[in-house]
Each structure stands twice: as C-alpha cells, then as structure tokens.
Amino acid sequence: MSLVALVVGPERADVATSSRETLAGLAGPLSPGDPQQIRTGPGGRPDNCRTDDRGTSRPTAAPTDVQWRELVGVMTPTSASAGPLHTDATMWWCFAHTPTGAVLAAHVIPVQLSGASWRIVAEQQIVPGESRDAFVTARTAAKETNPRDDTVGRFTGFSVESYSDDSATIRLLVTNPVAGHLSTTVAVRWRDGDWKVALQDDGSLYSSVKQASPSDFIMWGA
C-alpha cells in the first residue's frame, strides 16, 4: 500500500470474502482526534484545525515552505501553510481547503495507510463506501513487509489534473527504482472539514501506473 505497492501494483481482494470482524467499526470518516468532538469551527471544521484557504488558484510551483519529513519510512512533503498542520503519532491531518492542500493530502494520506495506524487512517481519512471496504479487506490480508530503501519510489513532482471545492485529482510523479519515472493519480474529496482519499472502485489507492516525463509535472525540487 506504500510507494512500493505503487510500483509493483496494489493487491486485490474480493470483498465478498471479508468477515464482519474485518470491517467492524468502520463508520467514519470522523474528525481526527476525539470521535465525539463536534465540528464547531469555521466551515464545519474541528476547532483546532484552522488553515489559510485563500489560495484557490492551481499551483504553478511547489510551496515555498515545503519541508520533507519521514513518514512510515518515506520522505514526504509537508507545508506549514497547506498542511498537514497536525502531525499526531497516529495520523497527519488538517489540510488547507485549496488546490495545494489537496496536493499535500494526496501525498500524505496514502503513505500513512502503509503504517501501523492504517486502520485509524482508513476510518478517518478515506471516503466511506464499498471501495473502502475492499481496501480494508485487502490491507488486512496483506503480509507486512520491510522493503529495502532502494526498492521504494521517491516523490519528485506533481500536477493538479482537476480541482473543485469538493474534489480534486492529483497526479504524482515518483522515481522508478529500476530507471526513469512513474506517475499515478490520487483522488481526494473535501468531507467533514478536511481532505479525504476517494479510492478507486476496486479499493486501490492509486490509478494505473504509467511511465512519465518530469517535464509534465511541477517538480518538488528535493
């Protein structure tokens, strides 16, 4: 489910074979933090999640305040202005309601889903439905691995394929551990005051992987 899975292809699972125990308790996505917390902040957001949402234009360059942080063994871009503003032990969340915020969410959330807290992330940061059930079933059945550093793709660029107030499609550019670059897309939706990942119909995080040229992307510069 990490960048390694992006390169070799996500595992599939038949939802019909899932058990009640596998899918029990997935009622979200909820506001990160206390599930009982009422979202009383501006725009129905949690009180402790305030972002500058004025930058509604699609980005033409990487955020100037980008910082790279390790998340589940992957160097992942973050931004003090676009998010994630909260980097808790179990989950990184609170993204700006902007195209750049959607870009950061499309990088961060899928990476988190390869970590030990993946079930909490799945409940709170994936749009609910049959696709999420399929993902949980596949993730539960997947064997844990510890990939070598040289087998993990590295984020190098991005582009915003589409954007509206409530949805976005972000294309990611990653290095191919063999040679060159690969690209894929992640869809996100604005729901419950933050960006959530909208999975593929079969429960996959990413669309099909393709060979790509860096010239078609905004480069992170790191």
Side-chain angles (χ1 to χ4, degrees):
M1 304 302 174
S2 65
L3 292 186
V4 175
L6 185 157
V7 173
V8 303
E11 295 187 25
R12 304 289 192 259
D14 184 353
V15 181
T17 65
S18 65
S19 66
R20 289 181 179 274
E21 291 76 14
T22 298
L23 302 176
L26 287 181
L30 308 171
S31 288
D34 182 356
Q36 303 304 318
Q37 176 180 340
I38 298 175
R39 294 181 291 277
T40 57
R45 310 192 75 180
D47 277 328
N48 57 343
C49 178
R50 305 291 180 90
T51 58
D52 184 348
D53 300 333
R54 292 175 294 179
T56 57
S57 299
R58 298 190 187 190
T60 57
T64 57
D65 61 353
V66 64
Q67 291 187 327
W68 291 86
R69 300 180 58 180
E70 184 174 341
L71 178 62
V72 197
V74 176
M75 294 306 296
T76 307
T78 66
S79 164
S81 59
L85 269 61
H86 290 283
T87 52
D88 305 331
T90 56
M91 184 164 49
W92 292 10
W93 62 284
C94 189
F95 299 92
H97 193 185
T98 64
T100 302
V103 168
L104 271 298
H107 284 73
V108 169
I109 297 173
V111 172
Q112 292 188 113
L113 286 163
S114 65
S117 300
W118 71 268
R119 193 176 179 90
I120 296 174
V121 177
E123 180 169 359
Q124 300 193 15
Q125 293 188 298
I126 293 180
V127 175
E130 292 184 0
S131 295
R132 186 176 66 175
D133 292 349
F135 173 84
V136 171
T137 300
R139 182 68 178 84
T140 301
K143 295 180 180 179
E144 295 296 333
T145 59
N146 294 301
R148 303 188 313 274
D149 289 343
D150 61 355
T151 65
V152 181
R154 179 173 57 86
F155 290 125
T156 56
F158 67 91
S159 67
V160 179
E161 281 203 345
S162 65
Y163 181 82
S164 68
D165 283 346
D166 57 8
S167 65
T169 301
I170 309 300
R171 182 163 289 279
L172 311 179
L173 181 71
V174 300
T175 57
N176 185 342
V178 178
H181 292 80
L182 300 170
S183 72
T184 188
T185 59
V186 175
V188 294
R189 293 182 187 170
W190 186 259
R191 183 183 175 108
D192 295 340
D194 209 356
W195 290 111
K196 319 286 184 182
V197 167
L199 300 176
Q200 306 292 308
D201 290 342
D202 64 357
S204 301
L205 286 164
Y206 306 102
S207 67
S208 299
V209 178
K210 302 178 180 179
Q211 295 287 336
S213 170
S215 62
D216 298 327
F217 293 81
I218 297 170
M219 302 305 286
W220 281 112

